[in-house]
Amino acid sequence: MSEREQEPVEQMYKDAVHWHVNTGGETIHAKRMPGRFRSYKWYASVLWVLYLLTPYMRWDGHQAILFNIPERQFHLFSITLWPQDIWMLSLVLILLAMTLFGVTAVAGRVWCGYFCFQTVWTDWFTWIEDKIEGNPVQRRKLDEAPWSARKLRLKLLKHAIWLLMAVITGITFAAYFTDAFELWQRYLTLDAPPVAWVVLAAFVFGTYVFAGFMREQVCFWLCPYARIQSVMVDKDTVLPTYDEMRGEPRGKAKDKGNGDCIDCRLCVGVCPTGVDIREGMQEGCITCGMCIDACNSVMDKLDRPRGLIRYASRKEMAGEVLPPLFRRPRVITYCTIFLLAVSGIVYGMTHIPPIELSIVHERQPLYIQMSNGDIQNRYTVKALNKTPATLHMQVSLSGATGLAIVDGGQEIVLEPGKMIPAHLFLVAHPGALTAKKVTVNFVLESVESPHIRMEYESVFMAPGGR
Ligand code: SF4
Ligand code: SF4
């Protein structure tokens, strides 16, 4: 058991005078306590450690995840997405929205409490503050104390580490858009382009101010999600809830007739948004569960059952049975849309064509008649090679009678990621044509990889055809 867990109940009463609901007028100094939900919060922040490390990961000779805006490519491990595949991004956004809505319907603002970059960065920043300046009571005393060598040293150290974290956050974000190692080098040699400096400055400012000073007040005042969550939760949503029946009337443990709540206010002291959960569900609650850990530790010391504050739905609190997830229309709707979006993304990922092809029949002129009487049509081939290798494409016709490619057997060379238009000519003897407008089917086949084969339908026009 840690030192803080062994803290006597009397000390909690003493500290309680420092804990009150903060409505945004001051920096919140939430008390940090060990517990089950505290551990979950640490585990969830691993997701953001991956965010910090991913730009340095290499895959097939390039950055594993790279939004290459100048070349209009998005590399996702061995998959390369082009602007033509952008429809999949819409599905990804729908998928993320449905995940958020579904999770909120089941368990409230789990995203806010455990995964949101704002709350995770704030948690890291306040952990550093806790290590350097001490617990909330010590921090407030330090803030109120006159300037001294000790205060200056502690403040400088804290702000230097915060700024370093903000810089790393900003560079990491920029590194998703260009080669990460090269970017570091360009920043360190002051050779980065202006846009890179603007991105870095915006992120350093945002991270330092939002995570260091405003903290969860950003959730309270700036984040729109807090405003719309009320339409996503219902009586079945499981949220941190104070058991009023068991807790009230609140008062000292030694006084007979009181409920289980000893009014120590530890649940308020640990709350990063300064909410008193005993007053009911509030807009400021990010459902982080810290108050549950705090109250459980108090119940343990009093030798009373845990769960005075616990994850529970309004129905459960009213003594009703919580319906299973598959009986909840809201959850079923979100899950159905989620699965449709996943199916669309999987289909898109597995059916990305290696070449984006279009063959345009020239209309000025529609045809030309050669001196020997043959009819010639001109076509422009626009092919985008979406593979990482150069492709030599053999062009042929399928199912066409009486038509031939001028310089038949010619190859079109497709550089990776490039679209250089090429021209093709078809020729036919008028007597060999079955109609004045004939459908032709072009076939492009890679010499190196015959499985890369594209077909494109167009027309051949003879005099009198339209
Ligand atoms: S709910 Fe629990 S932590 Fe909060 S004041 Fe009551 S006993 Fe203390
Ligand atoms: S009331 Fe409890 S669950 Fe809600 S934000 Fe505060 S500590 Fe987290």
Side-chain angles (χ1 to χ4, degrees):
M1 204 179 264
S2 75
E3 237 172 70
R4 281 185 186 177
E5 279 176 298
Q6 289 167 350
E7 200 175 35
V9 175
E10 289 70 31
Q11 182 60 39
M12 292 176 192
Y13 281 121
K14 216 173 134 204
D15 288 349
V17 293
H18 298 279
W19 301 329
H20 57 98
V21 177
N22 186 339
T23 53
E26 60 193 275
T27 304
I28 287 182
H29 289 296
K31 186 177 170 72
R32 299 177 79 89
M33 290 191 67
R36 188 171 150 207
F37 294 100
R38 176 69 259 173
S39 302
Y40 290 164
K41 204 167 163 65
W42 279 124
Y43 300 150
S45 61
V46 169
L47 190 78
W48 289 106
V49 175
L50 292 180
Y51 157 82
L52 294 171
L53 298 179
T54 303
Y56 309 100
M57 202 192 296
R58 292 296 179 264
W59 197 270
D60 287 347
H62 59 76
Q63 196 162 308
I65 298 181
L66 179 67
F67 296 86
N68 190 339
I69 290 174
E71 294 187 14
R72 298 190 299 159
Q73 298 172 11
F74 170 37
H75 295 289
L76 186 65
F77 297 93
S78 52
I79 297 170
T80 300
L81 298 177
W82 296 79
Q84 290 84 347
D85 309 313
I86 206 77
W87 59 273
M88 270 189 276
L89 183 63
S90 326
L91 290 182
V92 170
L93 293 177
I94 292 174
L95 182 145
L96 293 176
M98 287 307 115
T99 307
L100 191 64
F101 293 174
V103 169
T104 307
V106 173
R109 295 168 66 184
V110 171
W111 161 258
C112 304
Y114 297 92
F115 297 101
C116 174
F117 41 82
Q118 172 60 31
T119 53
V120 169
W121 258 253
T122 300
D123 200 43
W124 291 347
F125 271 50
T126 51
W127 180 79
I128 286 163
E129 188 174 60
D130 200 73
K131 292 289 161 219
I132 295 174
E133 295 183 359
N135 64 34
V137 177
Q138 292 166 324
R139 299 210 295 263
R140 284 204 187 87
K141 278 188 185 151
L142 186 70
D143 285 347
E144 285 158 15
W147 281 99
S148 63
R150 179 179 171 270
K151 182 171 175 175
L152 186 66
R153 182 170 48 82
L154 294 180
K155 293 285 178 194
L156 278 177
L157 179 62
K158 179 182 82 173
H159 288 284
I161 296 175
W162 280 4
L163 275 171
L164 180 66
M165 287 173 71
V167 168
I168 291 172
T169 306
I171 295 181
T172 302
F173 179 79
Y176 278 90
F177 296 87
T178 185
D179 183 90
F181 295 107
E182 198 186 308
L183 182 70
W184 268 99
Q185 193 189 8
R186 294 191 71 178
Y187 273 129
L188 292 174
T189 54
L190 305 180
D191 182 38
V195 66
W197 289 111
V198 171
V199 169
L200 182 59
F203 266 78
V204 170
F205 178 80
T207 309
Y208 182 64
V209 172
F210 287 173
F213 298 93
M214 292 185 67
R215 307 187 178 181
E216 273 82 359
Q217 291 302 312
V218 172
C219 320
F220 205 70
W221 300 108
L222 298 183
C223 180
Y225 180 48
R227 306 285 179 278
I228 57 171
Q229 64 153 341
S230 55
V231 297
M232 290 183 231
V233 299
D234 53 27
K235 283 184 184 167
D236 298 327
T237 307
V238 172
L239 300 166
T241 310
Y242 169 67
D243 189 341
E244 210 174 315
M245 296 288 284
R246 189 185 139 188
E248 301 296 317
R250 61 187 81 159
K252 296 213 163 157
K254 59 187 182 204
D255 296 342
K256 283 214 167 101
N258 281 342
D260 277 349
C261 175
I262 59 167
D263 204 18
C264 64
R265 294 177 61 82
L266 191 57
C267 50
V268 185
V270 296
C271 179
T273 54
V275 162
D276 186 344
I277 193 70
R278 297 172 301 167
E279 304 304 318
M281 187 57 196
Q282 291 156 58
E283 197 183 320
C285 177
I286 56 171
T287 70
C288 63
M290 298 301 111
C291 52
I292 301 178
D293 282 342
C295 192
N296 281 344
S297 77
V298 177
M299 292 301 112
D300 288 351
K301 285 183 191 102
L302 295 170
D303 214 14
R304 291 176 185 174
R306 289 180 158 206
L308 177 57
I309 303 174
R310 61 182 181 274
Y311 266 99
S313 69
R314 272 191 280 159
K315 264 193 185 159
E316 281 174 297
M317 280 298 177
E320 295 175 45
V321 179
L322 191 65
L325 293 179
F326 61 83
R327 287 239 185 111
R328 293 166 61 179
R330 192 186 286 251
V331 176
I332 295 168
T333 308
Y334 294 145
C335 287
T336 307
I337 301 172
F338 175 90
L339 290 175
L340 287 174
V342 170
S343 312
I345 293 166
V346 171
Y347 176 85
M349 291 286 194
T350 50
H351 289 76
I352 294 174
I355 295 170
E356 211 62 50
L357 176 67
S358 82
I359 300 179
V360 181
H361 179 256
E362 295 286 327
R363 303 197 70 78
Q364 292 292 340
L366 274 177
Y367 57 86
I368 57 167
Q369 189 132 27
M370 317 287 281
S371 55
N372 64 357
D374 285 355
I375 311 295
Q376 182 176 284
N377 282 201
R378 187 174 189 254
Y379 302 84
T380 303
V381 180
K382 290 181 180 170
L384 172 65
N385 176 5
K386 291 159 86 177
T387 73
T390 300
L391 294 173
H392 295 80
M393 306 300 290
Q394 189 83 49
V395 187
S396 60
L397 297 174
S398 124
T401 49
L403 288 168
I405 301 174
V406 177
D407 295 334
Q410 79 176 63
E411 272 181 11
I412 295 178
V413 181
L414 301 179
E415 299 287 339
K418 298 222 169 83
M419 184 164 69
I420 301 164
H423 297 291
L424 271 180
F425 297 91
L426 288 192
V427 71
H429 191 275
L433 291 172
T434 53
K436 299 197 184 315
K437 183 178 178 183
V438 182
T439 301
V440 289
N441 216 20
F442 289 97
V443 179
L444 273 77
E445 195 169 335
S446 163
V447 175
E448 313 69 1
S449 319
H451 69 276
I452 299 181
R453 187 177 185 278
M454 308 292 294
E455 291 197 18
Y456 200 91
E457 193 179 283
S458 187
V459 289
F460 184 88
M461 306 294 284
R466 281 269 163 236

